[in-house]
Structures are given as C-alpha cells and as structure tokens.
Amino acid sequence: MNNSMATRYWNRVASDGTWLTDTRTKRPIGPPPGEDLAAMRAGLGRQFGEVPKLWPHYTCEINDELARRGETSFEQRAEHAALALYGLHQQSKSVSMHRPDVRLGRALSQLRDSDRFSPKAIDDRVEAAATTTTFDALLIRLRGLVDLLRTINQPLDYDHLMRLVHDWHYDDGRRAARRQWAMDYQVWKHKSAGDEPSAES
C-alpha cells in the first residue's frame, strides 16, 4: 500500500491523543466539525465515491488505469472504509478517537476488560471479524466493533486500521494482518483496564 506523504483526515492529534494546534490561530484543530463526521458516516455500507460530501476528505492518489475502467484501487477502498468508521467512532466525542500506536487488537482488548460486556461475547465478536475472508464481510464486523469501542471511549490507530483493511484484499496480507491482530489481542487482553486508560468523552 502506498502511504505516500498524504495527511489523513484523522491525523490531527499528537502522540498522546491531544488535538494539535493550528499554527495560525493557536486553536486546537479538533474535534472535527459535526458535518464532516456526518458525511463520513454516510459512507458506511457505501462504496468509494458514492458520497459526494466525502470527496474532499479523500487523500489517495487516483490510479489512472483503474479510473479509465471505472474501478477504484484497494487503497481508495480502504481509506473510504476507515473514514466511514472514524465518522462513527468520533461522533459526539470531544476527545480524539484516533490514537497513534493503539492497534485494533490492543483497543479490543481494552473493550474486553471494560466490564461493560461479557468477555466471551467480545471474544466471539473478535473471532467472527478476524476469520472473515472478504473485504465487505470484514467491514460489517468492524462496524459493530467500532460502535462498541465508542461506548467506552476507547480510541484506536486509524492509520493502522486503514492498512489492515487494505491488506485484507490479499490472501497473504490477510494472513499477516490476522497474525498481528491476534498477537495484539492476546498480549493485552489479560491486562486490566486500568493499565491503559481510555479517553473520556
């Protein structure tokens, strides 16, 4: 996946999850406007390019060869999916739901340890998501998991999520992403929720 130097929409926070400051106005550049997040949520269950209000937020380069055939790249699909999930996750939150270096497995382990849900229920949902074999099936499962993360104010790294979604298009990429996901989830799932404070809304 070509990450180039594009700045994704959600990258408006420091490494500790606090909003960055606009150098001109000296004011935080978050939380994002509600209309932006609404446009992103409109992308849930839709394909790249189907929501015109999302177009200004796309950063992936256009693949001319694919565009001539009316097709989109896996990177474009992955960014669209990540934006839609971010719009769901960030809705009505004053703190950032994007947190660098908090990969999906680690975030889900915090969900498991939150005491809000049965650990077995979370294990089952995580397994159902991780064992999907298609891009579309993965997105359906991720939507449910992100919605649960939102209820406990648990952020995750959307750059990493975008890479995971992108890699799910390939057999080898899916296997590698699944291994990383499993390692993160297993390493963290027995830690107490107090070891990794979640954000407050």
Side-chain angles (χ1 to χ4, degrees), residues 6-22 27-34 36-37 40 56-57 59 83 86 90 93-100 157-159:
T7 300
R8 311 297 180 194
Y9 184 94
W10 49 80
N11 281 317
R12 49 184 68 205
V13 295
S15 59
D16 63 356
T18 56
W19 298 113
L20 295 174
T21 300
D22 186 304
R27 300 178 63 181
I29 57 175
D36 285 1
L37 299 176
M40 292 175 199
H57 306 312
T59 63
L83 282 166
Y86 175 75
Q90 188 64 52
K93 300 295 182 185
S94 60
V95 297
S96 176
M97 292 294 102
H98 166 64
R99 179 75 60 83
D157 185 332
Y158 272 84
D159 288 318

Side-chain angles (χ1 to χ4, degrees), residues 69-86:
R69 300 201 300 264
E71 299 174 5
T72 54
S73 68
F74 291 160
E75 187 174 10
Q76 288 171 312
R77 295 180 195 175
E79 184 179 34
H80 173 90
L83 282 166
L85 291 169
Y86 175 75

